[in-house]
Amino acid sequence: GIFQSYAVEVDVKDASNATCLYAKWMMKFLIKYETNSGDYKNTTLNLLSNVTHNGSICGSDTQAALLAVQFGEGHSWSVNFTKTNETYQGNFITFTYNTNDTAAFPDAKRRGPVTIVVKDTMSPVQLNNVFVCHNADFLEAENITQIFWNVTVQAFVQNGTISKKESRCSADTPTSAPTALPTTANVTTASTTTLSPAPTTAPKPVENPKTGNYSLKSGNTTCFLASVGLQLNVSQDKPVLININPKTTTADGTCGNTTATLRLNDGNSTLVGF
């Protein structure tokens, strides 16, 4: 269920060829659109290798910095950054998708570019600090979900050098594992794999995850029920098993006429979507 997408890296230079705005991140878009038959379908836009960053600008004390990328068949995304005397932060995110892209929208009723603007949820970052967030961030507006993860960004870079000082997002913790990102239909199966301890430690079995009961309501009507025990097996340098604890897990999401989305957050910023 982990998204397959290219990382985007943008290094914007000023007139003296010094870095003034740097970002590296991954993102994906889930879009619900109306078809010619009057029903609705879900599609996914990934960033492939043909990404450009025309229009990105450095910014100054009086002008916002702009990080802009273009990809695919007429799709684009941008975020502007403003700064105060001591901090900078993202301001607005603008996303344009083009339903003339017949591969992504083969039977769209509306044809042409569609643009939405949403407020960036990024907290203020100290100048000369780089903002880092490995966990996934979700922005939802107008039948569109924008997902970002593995984000590294610094606006208003000083002296052309990316800072070594990090400002981490609240979702990240020193022991956070990479987030398992949701698809429009994703089922996670509990694993019976055991961790490999140090050679001097006897192996011990991994506990089975406890079953949680989760539900979503639209008004007084329940639209989504799940009774499930969840265990994530994260592949990295040392494999990590994470059990989702129902006692500390909250559920939210959206109910629709033909689709419903359930998101689980276990308090350690582990997010799973169904």
Side-chain angles (χ1 to χ4, degrees):
I2 294 179
F3 284 146
Q4 300 300 316
S5 182
Y6 280 83
V8 185
E9 187 172 19
V10 177
D11 188 350
V12 183
K13 307 286 188 179
D14 60 17
S16 63
N17 202 36
T19 297
C20 62
L21 174 60
Y22 175 82
K24 185 176 182 179
W25 76 104
M26 302 182 80
M27 65 181 176
K28 191 181 188 79
F29 305 93
L30 307 181
I31 303 171
K32 184 178 180 179
Y33 68 97
E34 187 177 6
T35 67
N36 288 317
S37 60
D39 60 352
Y40 286 83
K41 288 185 177 180
N42 294 307
T43 191
T44 302
L45 286 183
N46 296 299
L47 269 69
L48 302 177
S49 57
N50 59 338
V51 177
T52 59
H53 55 91
N54 300 323
S56 298
I57 57 177
C58 294
S60 64
D61 291 339
T62 58
Q63 182 183 25
L66 181 67
L67 178 65
V69 295
Q70 303 82 37
F71 60 98
E73 300 297 324
H75 314 298
S76 63
W77 180 91
S78 66
V79 57
N80 68 329
F81 298 91
T82 56
K83 79 170 180 174
T84 63
N85 293 332
E86 297 179 353
T87 64
Y88 68 91
Q89 69 181 114
N91 194 1
F92 289 99
I93 291 175
T94 302
F95 171 51
T96 297
Y97 63 95
N98 185 9
T99 56
N100 286 326
D101 181 355
T102 55
F105 307 93
D107 52 354
K109 181 177 180 179
R110 177 181 178 179
R111 288 296 179 184
V114 181
T115 299
I116 66 162
V117 179
V118 295
K119 179 71 175 176
D120 193 354
T121 57
M122 177 181 176
S123 299
V125 179
Q126 289 291 319
L127 288 175
N128 201 33
N129 278 27
V130 59
F131 174 77
V132 177
C133 191
H134 295 303
N135 278 268
D137 187 21
F138 293 73
L139 291 178
E140 296 185 18
E142 301 181 27
N143 292 330
I144 298 171
T145 302
Q146 304 182 52
I147 306 116
F148 313 93
W149 70 102
N150 288 346
V151 175
T152 299
V153 61
Q154 184 178 357
F156 306 101
V157 176
Q158 300 176 10
N159 301 321
T161 304
I162 305 301
S163 177
K164 297 186 181 300
K165 299 177 182 178
E166 291 187 355
S167 291
R168 301 296 290 264
C169 64
S170 58
D172 280 3
T173 63
T175 57
S176 288
T179 303
L181 301 171
T183 61
T184 54
N186 176 15
V187 177
T188 302
T189 303
S191 171
T192 57
T193 306
T194 57
L195 286 170
S196 298
T200 56
T201 304
K204 61 181 181 179
V206 177
E207 295 181 0
N208 289 327
K210 291 181 170 54
T211 300
N213 297 304
Y214 311 102
S215 64
L216 282 182
K217 285 190 174 183
S218 177
N220 294 324
T221 303
T222 299
C223 75
F224 201 128
L225 288 172
S227 178
V228 60
L230 290 173
Q231 183 180 88
L232 306 181
N233 188 338
V234 182
S235 297
Q236 49 186 22
D237 292 340
K238 293 183 179 179
V240 176
L241 292 179
I242 304 171
N243 284 343
I244 305 299
N245 183 358
K247 293 183 179 180
T248 60
T249 297
T250 58
D252 63 12
T254 56
C255 299
N257 292 330
T258 58
T259 61
T261 300
L262 175 70
R263 292 189 302 269
L264 303 180
N265 190 326
D266 76 342
N268 290 321
S269 301
T270 300
L271 189 65
V272 183
F274 297 88

